[in-house]
Amino acid sequence: MLYFLSILFLFFQTNGKINIENQWIRNAGKGMNTAFFADVKNISTKTDTLYKVASSLARLVQVHETYEENGMMGMREAGNLEIKSSETLKLKPRSFHVMLIGLKKDLKEGQIGEVTLFFKHAGAVKVKARVKNMIE
Amino acid sequence: MKYFFFLLISLLFISCQSKFPEKEFVGNRSKTLVSQDSLTIDFPKHYKGKILLVSFIFTNCPDICPLTTHNLQLIQKKAKEEKIDNVSFAAISFDPERDTPSVMKNFTDVRNLDLSNYNLFSGKRENIKSLMETFHIVAIANDTTFTENMEPVYFFMHTDRITLVDQDQNIRKSYRGSEINLEEIINDIKNL
Protein backbone atom coordinates (compact mmCIF):
# COMPACT_ATOMS: atom_id res chain seq x y z
CA MET A 1 0.00 0.00 0.00
CA LEU A 2 2.82 2.35 0.96
CA TYR A 3 4.60 1.49 -2.30
CA PHE A 4 1.42 2.21 -4.27
CA LEU A 5 0.97 5.57 -2.53
CA SER A 6 4.58 6.61 -3.15
CA ILE A 7 4.25 5.71 -6.85
CA LEU A 8 0.98 7.69 -7.05
CA PHE A 9 2.75 10.62 -5.37
CA LEU A 10 5.19 10.80 -8.28
CA PHE A 11 2.41 11.31 -10.80
CA PHE A 12 -0.02 13.52 -8.93
CA GLN A 13 0.27 15.90 -5.98
CA THR A 14 -2.23 18.38 -4.59
CA ASN A 15 -2.84 20.72 -1.68
CA GLY A 16 -6.56 21.05 -2.44
CA LYS A 17 -6.10 24.27 -4.41
CA ILE A 18 -3.34 23.38 -6.84
CA ASN A 19 -2.88 20.01 -8.56
CA ILE A 20 0.55 19.07 -9.87
CA GLU A 21 0.66 16.36 -12.54
CA ASN A 22 3.18 14.80 -14.96
CA GLN A 23 6.11 16.30 -13.06
CA TRP A 24 9.68 15.34 -13.97
CA ILE A 25 13.24 16.66 -13.81
CA ARG A 26 15.67 16.35 -16.72
CA ASN A 27 18.85 14.42 -15.85
CA ALA A 28 22.08 16.42 -15.60
CA GLY A 29 25.47 16.34 -13.91
CA LYS A 30 26.73 18.05 -10.76
CA GLY A 31 27.43 21.75 -11.32
CA MET A 32 25.23 21.82 -14.45
CA ASN A 33 21.85 23.43 -14.97
CA THR A 34 18.63 21.57 -15.63
CA ALA A 35 14.87 22.01 -15.47
CA PHE A 36 11.75 20.81 -13.66
CA PHE A 37 8.57 20.37 -15.72
CA ALA A 38 4.94 19.76 -14.68
CA ASP A 39 1.30 20.53 -15.38
CA VAL A 40 0.15 22.98 -12.69
CA LYS A 41 -3.63 23.09 -12.44
CA ASN A 42 -5.50 25.68 -10.41
CA ILE A 43 -8.49 23.78 -8.97
CA SER A 44 -9.58 26.64 -6.69
CA THR A 45 -12.22 29.23 -7.54
CA LYS A 46 -9.69 32.13 -7.51
CA THR A 47 -6.98 33.15 -9.94
CA ASP A 48 -3.63 32.24 -8.40
CA THR A 49 -0.04 33.29 -9.09
CA LEU A 50 3.17 31.27 -9.08
CA TYR A 51 5.64 33.80 -7.68
CA LYS A 52 8.58 31.80 -6.32
CA VAL A 53 10.27 28.41 -6.63
CA ALA A 54 12.81 26.69 -4.40
CA SER A 55 14.77 23.45 -4.22
CA SER A 56 17.71 22.11 -2.26
CA LEU A 57 18.92 20.38 -5.45
CA ALA A 58 20.53 23.53 -6.86
CA ARG A 59 22.33 26.72 -5.85
CA LEU A 60 19.78 28.93 -7.59
CA VAL A 61 16.19 28.17 -8.63
CA GLN A 62 14.12 30.41 -10.91
CA VAL A 63 11.17 30.23 -13.28
CA HIS A 64 12.47 30.69 -16.83
CA GLU A 65 11.00 30.92 -20.27
CA THR A 66 12.55 29.59 -23.49
CA TYR A 67 11.82 31.88 -26.43
CA GLU A 68 12.60 32.20 -30.13
CA GLU A 69 13.82 35.43 -31.71
CA ASN A 70 15.23 35.96 -35.20
CA GLY A 71 15.59 32.22 -35.67
CA MET A 72 17.62 31.83 -32.48
CA MET A 73 16.62 30.27 -29.17
CA GLY A 74 17.14 32.08 -25.89
CA MET A 75 16.07 31.97 -22.29
CA ARG A 76 15.05 34.60 -19.77
CA GLU A 77 13.74 34.74 -16.24
CA ALA A 78 9.94 34.85 -16.23
CA GLY A 79 7.98 37.12 -13.92
CA ASN A 80 5.03 35.98 -11.85
CA LEU A 81 2.85 33.48 -13.71
CA GLU A 82 -0.91 33.84 -13.29
CA ILE A 83 -3.13 30.76 -13.46
CA LYS A 84 -6.88 31.38 -13.74
CA SER A 85 -9.37 29.15 -11.94
CA SER A 86 -9.64 25.71 -13.62
CA GLU A 87 -6.76 26.52 -15.96
CA THR A 88 -3.43 24.70 -16.27
CA LEU A 89 0.03 26.21 -16.52
CA LYS A 90 2.20 23.84 -18.53
CA LEU A 91 5.85 23.90 -17.47
CA LYS A 92 7.34 22.09 -20.46
CA PRO A 93 10.38 21.90 -22.75
CA ARG A 94 10.75 24.90 -25.14
CA SER A 95 8.45 26.95 -22.87
CA PHE A 96 8.15 27.94 -19.19
CA HIS A 97 10.12 25.74 -16.80
CA VAL A 98 11.68 25.79 -13.34
CA MET A 99 15.41 26.27 -13.78
CA LEU A 100 17.71 24.42 -11.39
CA ILE A 101 20.98 26.33 -11.70
CA GLY A 102 24.21 24.79 -10.42
CA LEU A 103 23.18 21.28 -9.34
CA LYS A 104 24.68 20.19 -6.04
CA LYS A 105 24.93 16.54 -7.21
CA ASP A 106 24.39 14.41 -10.32
CA LEU A 107 20.73 13.85 -11.10
CA LYS A 108 20.49 10.47 -12.81
CA GLU A 109 17.51 8.70 -14.34
CA GLY A 110 15.27 7.10 -11.72
CA GLN A 111 16.29 9.35 -8.82
CA ILE A 112 13.71 11.49 -7.05
CA GLY A 113 14.07 15.24 -6.50
CA GLU A 114 11.93 17.77 -4.64
CA VAL A 115 10.91 21.24 -5.79
CA THR A 116 8.64 23.68 -3.93
CA LEU A 117 6.30 26.00 -5.83
CA PHE A 118 4.96 29.08 -3.99
CA PHE A 119 1.52 30.50 -4.86
CA LYS A 120 -0.07 33.72 -3.60
CA HIS A 121 -3.29 31.98 -2.52
CA ALA A 122 -2.52 28.26 -2.35
CA GLY A 123 0.77 28.78 -0.48
CA ALA A 124 3.69 26.39 -0.80
CA VAL A 125 3.28 23.14 -2.71
CA LYS A 126 6.10 20.59 -2.32
CA VAL A 127 6.48 18.37 -5.36
CA LYS A 128 8.45 15.15 -5.66
CA ALA A 129 9.51 14.38 -9.22
CA ARG A 130 11.34 11.55 -10.95
CA VAL A 131 14.52 12.30 -12.88
CA LYS A 132 14.22 11.30 -16.55
CA ASN A 133 16.24 11.61 -19.71
CA MET A 134 13.31 12.96 -21.69
CA ILE A 135 9.56 12.45 -21.93
CA GLU A 136 8.98 8.88 -23.16
CA MET B 1 10.92 12.91 -77.90
CA LYS B 2 14.10 14.98 -77.33
CA TYR B 3 12.08 17.52 -75.33
CA PHE B 4 10.48 14.74 -73.28
CA PHE B 5 13.91 13.46 -72.15
CA PHE B 6 15.07 17.00 -71.42
CA LEU B 7 11.96 17.54 -69.29
CA LEU B 8 12.45 14.21 -67.48
CA ILE B 9 16.10 14.97 -66.66
CA SER B 10 15.16 18.49 -65.51
CA LEU B 11 12.44 17.10 -63.25
CA LEU B 12 14.86 14.55 -61.76
CA PHE B 13 17.41 17.31 -61.16
CA ILE B 14 14.82 19.55 -59.46
CA SER B 15 13.58 16.62 -57.36
CA CYS B 16 17.13 15.83 -56.12
CA GLN B 17 17.76 19.50 -55.36
CA SER B 18 14.57 19.82 -53.30
CA LYS B 19 15.65 16.87 -51.12
CA PHE B 20 19.01 18.54 -50.50
CA PRO B 21 18.71 22.30 -50.93
CA GLU B 22 22.30 22.99 -49.87
CA LYS B 23 25.70 21.92 -51.19
CA GLU B 24 28.58 23.70 -49.51
CA PHE B 25 32.00 22.05 -49.26
CA VAL B 26 33.45 22.33 -45.74
CA GLY B 27 36.17 19.66 -45.90
CA ASN B 28 38.89 22.29 -46.42
CA ARG B 29 37.96 24.25 -43.28
CA SER B 30 38.93 21.68 -40.64
CA LYS B 31 40.02 22.72 -37.16
CA THR B 32 41.44 20.77 -34.25
CA LEU B 33 38.94 19.71 -31.60
CA VAL B 34 39.17 17.57 -28.47
CA SER B 35 36.57 14.94 -27.51
CA GLN B 36 35.04 13.97 -24.15
CA ASP B 37 37.75 11.27 -24.01
CA SER B 38 40.50 13.88 -24.61
CA LEU B 39 41.15 12.56 -28.13
CA THR B 40 42.27 15.20 -30.64
CA ILE B 41 40.83 15.19 -34.17
CA ASP B 42 40.62 17.47 -37.21
CA PHE B 43 36.97 18.37 -37.68
CA PRO B 44 35.23 17.65 -40.05
CA LYS B 45 38.13 16.00 -41.98
CA HIS B 46 38.14 13.12 -39.44
CA TYR B 47 34.69 12.09 -40.76
CA LYS B 48 35.52 12.02 -44.49
CA GLY B 49 33.69 9.11 -46.14
CA LYS B 50 30.97 9.12 -43.47
CA ILE B 51 27.65 10.90 -43.26
CA LEU B 52 27.76 13.30 -40.32
CA LEU B 53 25.07 14.96 -38.24
CA VAL B 54 26.53 17.88 -36.31
CA SER B 55 25.10 20.29 -33.80
CA PHE B 56 26.53 23.11 -31.66
CA ILE B 57 25.56 23.15 -27.98
CA PHE B 58 26.69 24.10 -24.45
CA THR B 59 26.38 21.58 -21.64
CA ASN B 60 25.06 24.15 -19.14
CA CYS B 61 22.02 24.67 -21.37
CA PRO B 62 18.94 23.49 -19.47
CA ASP B 63 16.38 23.20 -22.27
CA ILE B 64 17.19 23.48 -25.98
CA CYS B 65 20.61 21.72 -26.10
CA PRO B 66 19.51 18.64 -24.09
CA LEU B 67 16.61 18.31 -26.54
CA THR B 68 19.08 18.51 -29.44
CA THR B 69 21.54 15.99 -27.98
CA HIS B 70 18.61 13.72 -27.18
CA ASN B 71 17.32 14.06 -30.76
CA LEU B 72 20.76 13.03 -32.03
CA GLN B 73 20.42 9.97 -29.74
CA LEU B 74 17.00 9.19 -31.28
CA ILE B 75 18.44 9.43 -34.83
CA GLN B 76 21.40 7.26 -33.77
CA LYS B 77 19.05 4.61 -32.32
CA LYS B 78 16.79 4.62 -35.39
CA ALA B 79 19.80 4.44 -37.75
CA LYS B 80 21.07 1.37 -35.85
CA GLU B 81 17.64 -0.27 -36.09
CA GLU B 82 17.66 0.41 -39.84
CA LYS B 83 21.22 -1.03 -40.05
CA ILE B 84 22.67 2.25 -41.35
CA ASP B 85 26.31 2.09 -40.30
CA ASN B 86 27.99 4.92 -42.25
CA VAL B 87 26.70 7.76 -40.08
CA SER B 88 28.34 9.59 -37.16
CA PHE B 89 27.12 12.21 -34.70
CA ALA B 90 28.94 15.22 -33.23
CA ALA B 91 27.91 17.88 -30.74
CA ILE B 92 30.41 20.75 -30.54
CA SER B 93 30.44 23.11 -27.57
CA PHE B 94 30.42 26.86 -28.19
CA ASP B 95 31.28 27.31 -24.50
CA PRO B 96 34.79 25.75 -24.50
CA GLU B 97 36.01 27.55 -21.37
CA ARG B 98 33.44 25.66 -19.27
CA ASP B 99 33.06 22.56 -21.44
CA THR B 100 36.33 20.78 -20.70
CA PRO B 101 36.71 17.08 -21.64
CA SER B 102 35.84 15.99 -18.08
CA VAL B 103 32.68 18.14 -18.03
CA MET B 104 31.65 16.71 -21.41
CA LYS B 105 32.44 13.19 -20.19
CA ASN B 106 30.13 13.67 -17.21
CA PHE B 107 27.45 14.98 -19.62
CA THR B 108 27.72 11.79 -21.73
CA ASP B 109 27.77 9.54 -18.63
CA VAL B 110 24.71 11.09 -16.98
CA ARG B 111 22.75 10.83 -20.25
CA ASN B 112 23.99 7.32 -21.11
CA LEU B 113 25.13 8.40 -24.58
CA ASP B 114 26.23 5.58 -26.86
CA LEU B 115 29.71 6.81 -27.78
CA SER B 116 30.35 4.24 -30.53
CA ASN B 117 29.64 6.87 -33.22
CA TYR B 118 28.55 9.90 -31.17
CA ASN B 119 31.03 12.34 -29.62
CA LEU B 120 31.05 15.67 -27.86
CA PHE B 121 33.81 18.12 -28.79
CA SER B 122 35.37 21.24 -27.39
CA GLY B 123 38.57 23.07 -28.30
CA LYS B 124 40.40 26.35 -28.52
CA ARG B 125 38.11 29.37 -28.73
CA GLU B 126 39.49 30.43 -32.16
CA ASN B 127 38.88 26.96 -33.61
CA ILE B 128 35.32 26.87 -32.28
CA LYS B 129 34.69 30.36 -33.68
CA SER B 130 35.97 29.32 -37.11
CA LEU B 131 33.81 26.16 -37.18
CA MET B 132 30.76 28.15 -36.08
CA GLU B 133 31.30 30.43 -39.08
CA THR B 134 31.72 27.42 -41.35
CA PHE B 135 28.45 25.89 -40.11
CA HIS B 136 26.61 29.26 -39.92
CA ILE B 137 26.05 29.07 -36.15
CA VAL B 138 25.58 32.08 -33.90
CA ALA B 139 25.77 31.99 -30.09
CA ILE B 140 25.61 35.15 -27.98
CA ALA B 141 26.11 35.07 -24.21
CA ASN B 142 23.14 36.72 -22.50
CA ASP B 143 20.78 36.64 -19.53
CA THR B 144 23.47 36.71 -16.86
CA THR B 145 22.18 36.13 -13.36
CA PHE B 146 23.94 35.71 -10.00
CA THR B 147 23.89 33.07 -7.26
CA GLU B 148 23.62 33.99 -3.55
CA ASN B 149 27.44 34.10 -3.49
CA MET B 150 27.33 36.59 -6.39
CA GLU B 151 28.84 34.07 -8.79
CA PRO B 152 27.74 34.95 -12.34
CA VAL B 153 25.67 32.42 -14.27
CA TYR B 154 25.32 33.01 -17.99
CA PHE B 155 23.38 31.42 -20.79
CA PHE B 156 23.45 31.76 -24.57
CA MET B 157 21.01 32.82 -27.22
CA HIS B 158 21.93 30.48 -30.05
CA THR B 159 21.10 28.83 -33.34
CA ASP B 160 18.98 25.71 -32.87
CA ARG B 161 20.24 23.42 -35.62
CA ILE B 162 21.36 19.96 -36.68
CA THR B 163 23.38 19.99 -39.93
CA LEU B 164 23.67 17.07 -42.34
CA VAL B 165 27.10 16.65 -43.98
CA ASP B 166 27.59 14.11 -46.77
CA GLN B 167 30.43 11.62 -47.32
CA ASP B 168 32.31 14.19 -49.44
CA GLN B 169 32.13 16.80 -46.65
CA ASN B 170 29.42 18.98 -48.18
CA ILE B 171 26.74 20.55 -46.00
CA ARG B 172 23.53 19.20 -47.57
CA LYS B 173 20.67 20.15 -45.26
CA SER B 174 19.86 21.83 -41.93
CA TYR B 175 17.13 20.90 -39.48
CA ARG B 176 15.86 22.45 -36.27
CA GLY B 177 17.77 20.76 -33.44
CA SER B 178 15.28 20.76 -30.59
CA GLU B 179 12.33 19.47 -32.64
CA ILE B 180 12.88 16.93 -35.39
CA ASN B 181 11.04 14.85 -37.95
CA LEU B 182 12.87 11.57 -37.39
CA GLU B 183 11.59 9.92 -40.58
CA GLU B 184 12.67 12.89 -42.71
CA ILE B 185 16.23 12.76 -41.37
CA ILE B 186 16.51 8.97 -41.70
CA ASN B 187 15.25 9.18 -45.29
CA ASP B 188 17.74 11.94 -46.07
CA ILE B 189 20.59 9.81 -44.67
CA LYS B 190 19.44 6.90 -46.83
CA ASN B 191 19.36 9.16 -49.89
CA LEU B 192 22.97 10.26 -49.59
Side-chain angles (χ1 to χ4, degrees):
Chain A
M1 184 65 177
L2 193 63
Y3 177 75
F4 173 74
L5 284 175
S6 34
I7 293 291
L8 187 68
F9 209 54
L10 287 172
F11 292 99
F12 174 80
Q13 282 160 229
T14 185
N15 72 348
K17 292 176 181 168
I18 294 284
N19 278 2
I20 309 289
E21 295 173 21
N22 304 317
Q23 66 272 24
W24 64 286
I25 299 170
R26 183 181 281 134
N27 53 356
K30 183 181 176 183
M32 296 283 119
N33 308 322
T34 192
F36 162 90
F37 305 100
D39 295 339
V40 182
K41 186 168 186 184
N42 180 0
I43 55 168
S44 76
T45 53
K46 283 184 190 169
T47 294
D48 211 336
T49 304
L50 173 65
Y51 71 95
K52 195 174 90 172
V53 284
S55 175
S56 60
L57 297 170
R59 288 186 299 145
L60 185 65
V61 186
Q62 297 174 331
V63 178
H64 274 229
E65 174 191 15
T66 300
Y67 65 97
E68 187 167 1
E69 200 172 278
N70 301 323
M72 290 169 54
M73 302 303 292
M75 209 174 37
R76 58 192 164 211
E77 191 175 358
N80 294 348
L81 297 178
E82 224 175 55
I83 316 170
K84 291 195 171 113
S85 172
S86 304
E87 290 196 351
T88 301
L89 165 68
K90 286 195 175 282
L91 301 172
K92 61 181 185 179
R94 297 174 52 83
S95 182
F96 292 108
H97 52 272
V98 174
M99 276 278 294
L100 302 168
I101 300 167
L103 289 177
K104 293 177 184 170
K105 59 175 188 175
D106 285 350
L107 285 182
K108 293 188 175 175
E109 270 189 284
Q111 291 177 340
I112 307 295
E114 189 174 280
V115 173
T116 306
L117 309 179
F118 294 87
F119 299 89
K120 280 187 180 168
H121 295 297
V125 181
K126 282 190 179 180
V127 187
K128 285 193 192 302
R130 191 178 292 279
V131 178
K132 294 183 183 179
N133 187 20
M134 215 52 69
I135 295 174
E136 288 88 2
Chain B
M1 194 64 174
K2 196 167 64 178
Y3 292 113
F4 173 75
F5 277 116
F6 178 74
L7 186 68
L8 192 67
I9 286 165
S10 301
L11 281 172
L12 277 170
F13 182 71
I14 290 165
S15 155
C16 288
Q17 272 209 321
S18 61
K19 259 182 203 153
F20 298 109
E22 301 173 43
K23 189 164 185 179
E24 183 184 356
F25 182 61
V26 293
N28 58 348
R29 291 184 239 165
S30 283
K31 295 290 170 192
T32 303
L33 294 180
V34 59
S35 76
Q36 74 283 335
D37 295 318
S38 298
L39 297 173
T40 301
I41 65 149
D42 284 334
F43 187 93
K45 191 177 164 191
H46 176 80
Y47 291 100
K48 194 173 180 187
K50 292 231 173 226
I51 295 166
L52 176 66
L53 284 158
V54 56
S55 186
F56 286 74
I57 60 147
F58 69 114
T59 67
N60 262 293
C61 178
D63 196 18
I64 293 299
C65 307
L67 290 169
T68 302
T69 52
H70 181 69
N71 284 336
L72 288 174
Q73 274 183 291
L74 292 178
I75 303 165
Q76 180 192 37
K77 189 170 169 237
K78 184 74 174 167
K80 278 201 171 169
E81 284 166 10
E82 303 249 345
K83 305 207 183 305
I84 302 168
D85 58 4
N86 63 334
V87 61
S88 292
F89 303 85
I92 301 171
S93 171
F94 47 72
D95 189 15
E97 289 79 16
R98 289 191 294 187
D99 285 337
T100 60
S102 64
V103 167
M104 294 190 297
K105 184 69 181 167
N106 193 34
F107 183 93
T108 61
D109 286 347
V110 167
R111 288 174 170 78
N112 292 318
L113 293 195
D114 170 2
L115 300 176
S116 58
N117 59 348
Y118 187 170
N119 285 281
L120 262 65
F121 293 105
S122 186
K124 286 184 181 167
R125 167 58 68 189
E126 62 265 29
N127 290 351
I128 300 286
K129 191 176 169 219
S130 171
L131 286 170
M132 285 170 70
E133 282 166 10
T134 298
F135 285 88
H136 313 293
I137 302 295
V138 178
I140 303 161
N142 75 343
D143 195 36
T144 301
T145 187
F146 295 89
T147 65
E148 279 177 2
N149 303 331
M150 293 311 287
E151 293 169 62
V153 179
Y154 62 93
F155 303 102
F156 288 90
M157 188 169 192
H158 59 91
T159 312
D160 174 22
R161 185 176 298 164
I162 292 172
T163 303
L164 178 67
V165 181
D166 69 18
Q167 299 91 326
D168 298 320
Q169 312 249 272
N170 298 296
I171 291 177
R172 300 307 302 270
K173 200 168 177 181
S174 299
Y175 316 89
R176 186 185 276 272
S178 62
E179 276 184 324
I180 59 164
N181 179 335
L182 186 57
E183 292 305 319
E184 178 197 0
I185 298 177
I186 290 293
N187 283 335
D188 286 343
I189 292 170
K190 284 178 179 172
N191 282 317
L192 282 177

